[in-house]
Amino acid sequence: MTKTVTLQEFIMDGQAAFPFVSGQLTRLLTDLAIGAKIVNHQVNRAGLAGILGATDNINVQDEQQQKLDVFADRTFQRILTAGKSVAGIGSEEREDFILCGDAGRHGKYVVMIDPLDGSSNIDVNVSIGTIFSIHKRTTPMGEPLTDEDFLQPGDRQVAAGYILYGSSTMLVYTTGTGVNGFTLDPAVGEFFLSHPGMQFPEHGSTYSINDALLSRATPPVRTFIDGCRETSDPAFRARYIGSLVADFHRNLIHGGIYLYPSLVGKPEGKLRLLYECAPLAFIAEQAGGSAEDDQGRIMERTPSHLHERVPFYVGSRHLLHALNACRKAPVN
Ligand code: P6P
């Protein structure tokens, strides 16, 4: 039986390939895995620990903050700050970025995080996730962080990943040399390499969109969805969990496309560029897929502010091509 590789061993092997690195990225990835284990423990016992449900707070997204949202946000902040690799964190749950350590003067990296995406599903026991994106700071070490450290295009990400708290808990990430998935063995508290070299299948036949939005979507998106519904391919199916990480992960494994489109009255759509779309776009492209908004590659977008929203179409390359063909078709 081949030895199973732990996440820690995999990260350390990755560092060994770059002998002159400081080890701060290794520490950062390790800290994210620790945060994942702590959040996972609480998510798995939420119904018992009296931490289901919402707080009285409305977050910066104008969404009811769930108790587990707050727990996850504080957990990752505490661990990443203690790790000293991170100068600052931009979180979905917070208006402004937070400085880690001595006013963010030290720490080589900044982290964008959606601590618990899909948290409205917690009370009904549907899979939820954490999404993270890692950039090198642009301001010199020793100087205070500015917004510019966070408002970087996806192409400049050093690493990106997600944790899926599902039937099993997985951590999937890339540092730009492919995508690898690790499954948590709760008996030993370790993530083990379970999905090496993840790639979208050549052909996908799943489309994920909130059907209730379609009447407000643009004609190309409506034409594309009509095509998915009317195709002669019996394998085509609609799957929409309403939890981005879960929908993305299923499509990564089985092939498919997830769409959160621009809408009449809401041209920017719903999903956030910095800590949802850009990290998942990095993973998608590293796994042989595509990730776009209505103008092109998400990875080329330079954010204008921390909580910028963009339309998001991500998944199997051939399905994004089919969507783009609908954009070019004459509108009758
Ligand atoms: P809707 C959860 O709030 C989220 O950000 C994603 O996880 C999910 O895919 C989407 O919004 C669901 O949005 O409008 O379909 O409920």
Side-chain angles (χ1 to χ4, degrees):
M1 174 178 162
T2 54
K3 178 184 179 313
T4 49
V5 177
T6 67
L7 172 61
Q8 193 58 42
E9 288 166 332
F10 190 90
I11 294 171
M12 294 303 289
D13 290 349
Q15 177 181 321
F18 300 92
F20 304 108
V21 297
S22 65
Q24 287 198 39
L25 182 60
T26 297
R27 175 64 193 265
L28 172 42
L29 292 168
T30 304
D31 291 344
L32 285 164
I34 294 168
K37 292 177 195 174
I38 295 170
V39 171
N40 175 66
H41 176 66
Q42 285 300 89
V43 166
N44 286 347
R45 58 194 295 272
L48 301 172
I51 52 174
L52 286 176
T55 67
D56 298 332
N57 307 331
I58 301 297
N59 68 13
V60 64
Q61 313 300 335
D62 200 23
E63 293 169 346
Q64 186 83 41
Q65 216 172 28
Q66 305 296 311
K67 291 174 187 171
L68 270 173
D69 281 327
V70 175
F71 176 82
D73 186 52
R74 287 178 180 162
T75 295
F76 284 109
Q77 183 210 342
R78 178 167 48 83
I79 287 172
L80 294 179
T81 299
K84 303 203 186 326
S85 301
V86 175
I89 302 170
S91 167
E92 185 199 42
E93 297 300 331
R94 298 168 190 259
E95 178 86 32
D96 296 315
F97 64 80
I98 50 173
L99 299 173
C100 302
D102 53 352
R105 285 180 166 74
H106 300 292
K108 195 172 170 184
Y109 299 102
V110 293
V111 175
M112 301 301 300
I113 190 164
D114 185 351
L116 210 56
D117 178 80
S119 54
S120 55
N121 292 297
I122 292 169
D123 292 6
V124 294
N125 206 16
V126 165
S127 301
I128 51 183
T130 295
I131 310 170
F132 60 87
S133 169
I134 301 171
H135 282 281
K136 272 189 187 158
R137 64 184 295 159
T138 54
T139 48
M141 297 286 266
E143 292 190 16
L145 287 185
T146 69
D147 274 349
E148 299 324 303
D149 289 290
F150 296 87
L151 302 180
Q152 301 186 54
D155 271 332
R156 298 220 315 245
Q157 290 177 94
V158 171
Y162 59 84
I163 297 111
L164 176 60
Y165 310 98
S167 50
S168 63
T169 294
M170 281 193 70
L171 189 151
V172 176
Y173 82 100
T174 183
T175 56
T177 55
V179 178
N180 293 283
F182 299 79
T183 300
L184 180 66
D185 180 343
V188 296
E190 276 291 355
F191 281 100
F192 289 95
L193 180 63
S194 54
H195 296 66
M198 299 180 80
Q199 288 286 301
F200 281 99
E202 186 63 32
H203 286 285
S205 48
T206 298
Y207 63 99
S208 309
I209 189 168
N210 180 341
D211 188 78
L213 302 177
L214 271 183
S215 60
R216 295 167 52 201
T218 58
V221 169
R222 296 207 302 270
T223 302
F224 173 75
I225 297 299
D226 287 344
C228 291
R229 289 169 167 166
E230 293 153 13
T231 178
S232 56
D233 178 351
F236 249 82
R237 63 181 64 76
R239 290 285 185 277
Y240 190 70
I241 299 170
S243 186
L244 173 58
V245 173
D247 280 314
F248 179 90
H249 184 75
R250 182 210 46 249
N251 291 347
L252 173 56
I253 303 275
H254 288 161
I257 182 171
Y258 171 96
L259 309 91
Y260 208 104
S262 48
L263 301 169
V264 171
K266 204 174 178 185
E268 73 282 0
K270 174 180 183 179
L271 300 183
R272 278 60 54 145
L273 174 55
L274 273 168
Y275 35 76
E276 288 170 330
C277 302
L280 294 182
F282 191 11
I283 292 174
E285 291 193 357
Q286 284 288 311
S290 301
E292 299 179 2
D293 58 16
D294 287 329
Q295 278 73 43
R297 281 183 74 229
I298 284 282
M299 293 278 274
E300 292 171 13
R301 295 289 161 265
T302 298
S304 56
H305 57 87
L306 279 183
H307 300 291
E308 180 172 349
R309 298 173 191 258
V310 289
F312 193 43
Y313 314 100
V314 62
S316 300
R317 195 178 293 275
H318 73 97
L319 292 173
L320 272 286
H321 287 164
L323 172 59
N324 286 325
C326 295
R327 295 181 193 284
K328 298 184 179 83
V331 178
N332 46 21

Short mmCIF file of all heavy atoms in Angstrom, two decimals, residues 63 92 114 117-121 210 213 240 242-245 247 258 260 270-272 276, ligand 1:
data_model
loop_
_atom_site.label_atom_id
_atom_site.label_comp_id
_atom_site.label_asym_id
_atom_site.label_seq_id
_atom_site.Cartn_x
_atom_site.Cartn_y
_atom_site.Cartn_z
N GLU A 63 -25.94 41.25 4.60
CA GLU A 63 -26.49 39.90 4.84
C GLU A 63 -26.53 39.63 6.34
O GLU A 63 -25.65 40.08 7.08
CB GLU A 63 -25.59 38.85 4.15
CG GLU A 63 -25.62 38.92 2.62
CD GLU A 63 -24.52 38.06 1.97
OE1 GLU A 63 -23.60 37.62 2.69
OE2 GLU A 63 -24.59 37.85 0.75
N GLU A 92 -14.74 38.84 3.97
CA GLU A 92 -16.09 39.15 3.53
C GLU A 92 -16.90 39.74 4.68
O GLU A 92 -17.82 40.52 4.48
CB GLU A 92 -16.81 37.89 3.03
CG GLU A 92 -18.18 38.26 2.48
CD GLU A 92 -19.15 37.09 2.38
OE1 GLU A 92 -19.19 36.27 3.32
OE2 GLU A 92 -19.86 37.04 1.37
N ASP A 114 -13.20 34.43 2.44
CA ASP A 114 -14.61 34.31 2.74
C ASP A 114 -14.68 33.21 3.80
O ASP A 114 -14.61 32.03 3.47
CB ASP A 114 -15.40 33.92 1.48
CG ASP A 114 -16.90 33.89 1.74
OD1 ASP A 114 -17.31 34.00 2.92
OD2 ASP A 114 -17.67 33.76 0.76
N ASP A 117 -18.54 30.60 3.39
CA ASP A 117 -19.43 30.93 2.27
C ASP A 117 -20.62 29.97 2.26
O ASP A 117 -20.47 28.78 2.52
CB ASP A 117 -18.67 30.80 0.95
CG ASP A 117 -19.59 31.10 -0.22
OD1 ASP A 117 -19.81 32.28 -0.49
OD2 ASP A 117 -20.13 30.15 -0.81
N GLY A 118 -21.78 30.53 1.99
CA GLY A 118 -22.99 29.69 1.94
C GLY A 118 -23.58 29.45 3.32
O GLY A 118 -24.36 28.53 3.54
N SER A 119 -23.20 30.33 4.25
CA SER A 119 -23.55 30.06 5.67
C SER A 119 -25.06 30.06 5.91
O SER A 119 -25.52 29.53 6.91
CB SER A 119 -22.89 31.11 6.58
OG SER A 119 -23.22 32.40 6.14
N SER A 120 -25.83 30.59 4.97
CA SER A 120 -27.29 30.53 5.17
C SER A 120 -27.77 29.07 5.10
O SER A 120 -28.88 28.75 5.46
CB SER A 120 -28.00 31.36 4.10
OG SER A 120 -27.59 30.92 2.81
N ASN A 121 -26.87 28.18 4.63
CA ASN A 121 -27.25 26.77 4.54
C ASN A 121 -26.96 25.99 5.82
O ASN A 121 -27.27 24.80 5.91
CB ASN A 121 -26.48 26.10 3.39
CG ASN A 121 -26.90 26.63 2.03
OD1 ASN A 121 -28.04 26.47 1.63
ND2 ASN A 121 -25.98 27.29 1.33
N ASN A 210 -29.13 29.64 -10.35
CA ASN A 210 -30.39 29.83 -9.64
C ASN A 210 -31.49 30.12 -10.66
O ASN A 210 -31.55 31.21 -11.24
CB ASN A 210 -30.25 30.99 -8.64
CG ASN A 210 -31.54 31.24 -7.87
OD1 ASN A 210 -32.62 30.81 -8.28
ND2 ASN A 210 -31.43 31.93 -6.76
N LEU A 213 -33.38 33.36 -11.19
CA LEU A 213 -32.74 34.59 -11.68
C LEU A 213 -32.88 34.74 -13.20
O LEU A 213 -32.61 35.80 -13.75
CB LEU A 213 -31.25 34.56 -11.33
CG LEU A 213 -30.88 34.42 -9.87
CD1 LEU A 213 -29.36 34.34 -9.74
CD2 LEU A 213 -31.41 35.60 -9.06
N TYR A 240 -27.95 22.69 -8.51
CA TYR A 240 -27.66 23.96 -7.85
C TYR A 240 -27.89 23.81 -6.36
O TYR A 240 -29.02 23.64 -5.92
CB TYR A 240 -28.55 25.08 -8.40
CG TYR A 240 -28.15 26.47 -7.96
CD1 TYR A 240 -26.98 27.06 -8.42
CD2 TYR A 240 -28.93 27.21 -7.06
CE1 TYR A 240 -26.60 28.33 -8.01
CE2 TYR A 240 -28.56 28.48 -6.65
CZ TYR A 240 -27.39 29.03 -7.13
OH TYR A 240 -27.01 30.28 -6.72
N GLY A 242 -26.68 26.02 -4.07
CA GLY A 242 -26.81 27.31 -3.41
C GLY A 242 -25.67 27.54 -2.43
O GLY A 242 -25.74 28.40 -1.55
N SER A 243 -24.62 26.78 -2.60
CA SER A 243 -23.40 26.96 -1.80
C SER A 243 -22.24 26.87 -2.80
O SER A 243 -21.95 25.80 -3.33
CB SER A 243 -23.30 25.85 -0.75
OG SER A 243 -22.22 26.07 0.11
N LEU A 244 -21.62 28.03 -3.07
CA LEU A 244 -20.67 28.13 -4.19
C LEU A 244 -19.58 27.08 -4.15
O LEU A 244 -19.30 26.42 -5.17
CB LEU A 244 -20.06 29.53 -4.19
CG LEU A 244 -18.93 29.81 -5.18
CD1 LEU A 244 -19.36 29.56 -6.61
CD2 LEU A 244 -18.42 31.24 -4.99
N VAL A 245 -18.98 26.87 -2.97
CA VAL A 245 -17.86 25.93 -2.90
C VAL A 245 -18.34 24.52 -3.25
O VAL A 245 -17.67 23.78 -3.98
CB VAL A 245 -17.21 25.95 -1.49
CG1 VAL A 245 -16.17 24.85 -1.34
CG2 VAL A 245 -16.56 27.31 -1.24
N ASP A 247 -20.99 23.67 -5.14
CA ASP A 247 -21.30 23.61 -6.58
C ASP A 247 -20.01 23.59 -7.42
O ASP A 247 -19.89 22.80 -8.36
CB ASP A 247 -22.17 24.80 -7.00
CG ASP A 247 -23.65 24.60 -6.66
OD1 ASP A 247 -24.18 23.50 -6.94
OD2 ASP A 247 -24.27 25.53 -6.11
N TYR A 258 -20.76 26.71 -13.50
CA TYR A 258 -21.53 27.45 -12.50
C TYR A 258 -21.69 28.89 -13.02
O TYR A 258 -20.72 29.48 -13.50
CB TYR A 258 -20.77 27.46 -11.17
CG TYR A 258 -21.36 28.38 -10.12
CD1 TYR A 258 -22.24 27.90 -9.15
CD2 TYR A 258 -21.07 29.75 -10.12
CE1 TYR A 258 -22.79 28.75 -8.19
CE2 TYR A 258 -21.63 30.61 -9.17
CZ TYR A 258 -22.48 30.10 -8.21
OH TYR A 258 -23.03 30.94 -7.29
N TYR A 260 -23.28 32.72 -11.98
CA TYR A 260 -24.02 33.73 -11.23
C TYR A 260 -23.97 34.99 -12.09
O TYR A 260 -23.01 35.76 -12.02
CB TYR A 260 -23.51 33.98 -9.81
CG TYR A 260 -24.65 34.45 -8.95
CD1 TYR A 260 -25.26 33.61 -8.05
CD2 TYR A 260 -25.21 35.73 -9.13
CE1 TYR A 260 -26.37 34.01 -7.32
CE2 TYR A 260 -26.33 36.14 -8.42
CZ TYR A 260 -26.91 35.28 -7.51
OH TYR A 260 -28.01 35.67 -6.80
N LYS A 270 -23.73 39.00 -7.94
CA LYS A 270 -23.72 38.88 -6.47
C LYS A 270 -22.34 38.54 -5.91
O LYS A 270 -21.99 38.99 -4.83
CB LYS A 270 -24.69 37.77 -6.05
CG LYS A 270 -24.65 37.46 -4.56
CD LYS A 270 -25.61 36.38 -4.15
CE LYS A 270 -25.59 36.14 -2.65
NZ LYS A 270 -26.55 35.09 -2.25
N LEU A 271 -21.56 37.76 -6.60
CA LEU A 271 -20.36 37.19 -5.99
C LEU A 271 -19.22 38.18 -5.96
O LEU A 271 -19.09 39.06 -6.81
CB LEU A 271 -19.95 35.91 -6.74
CG LEU A 271 -21.03 34.82 -6.73
CD1 LEU A 271 -20.52 33.58 -7.43
CD2 LEU A 271 -21.50 34.48 -5.32
N ARG A 272 -18.37 38.02 -4.94
CA ARG A 272 -17.31 38.99 -4.69
C ARG A 272 -16.03 38.57 -5.41
O ARG A 272 -15.63 37.41 -5.39
CB ARG A 272 -17.06 39.05 -3.17
CG ARG A 272 -17.98 39.93 -2.36
CD ARG A 272 -19.47 39.64 -2.35
NE ARG A 272 -19.85 38.31 -1.98
CZ ARG A 272 -20.97 38.00 -1.28
NH1 ARG A 272 -21.78 38.95 -0.89
NH2 ARG A 272 -21.26 36.75 -1.00
N GLU A 276 -14.01 35.38 -3.55
CA GLU A 276 -14.77 34.25 -4.08
C GLU A 276 -14.33 33.95 -5.51
O GLU A 276 -13.81 32.86 -5.81
CB GLU A 276 -16.29 34.54 -4.04
CG GLU A 276 -16.86 34.53 -2.63
CD GLU A 276 -18.29 35.06 -2.54
OE1 GLU A 276 -18.68 35.91 -3.36
OE2 GLU A 276 -19.02 34.60 -1.64
P1 P6P B 1 -28.63 32.75 -4.46
C1 P6P B 1 -24.06 32.09 -0.81
O1 P6P B 1 -24.68 33.24 -0.25
C2 P6P B 1 -23.49 32.52 -2.14
O2 P6P B 1 -22.58 33.56 -1.95
C3 P6P B 1 -22.87 31.33 -2.85
O3 P6P B 1 -22.31 30.43 -1.97
C4 P6P B 1 -24.05 30.72 -3.61
O4 P6P B 1 -23.65 30.06 -4.80
C5 P6P B 1 -24.89 31.96 -3.94
O5 P6P B 1 -24.58 32.96 -2.98
C6 P6P B 1 -26.36 31.63 -3.84
O6 P6P B 1 -27.05 32.82 -4.17
O7 P6P B 1 -29.00 34.14 -4.94
O8 P6P B 1 -28.83 31.70 -5.56
O9 P6P B 1 -29.26 32.35 -3.17
#
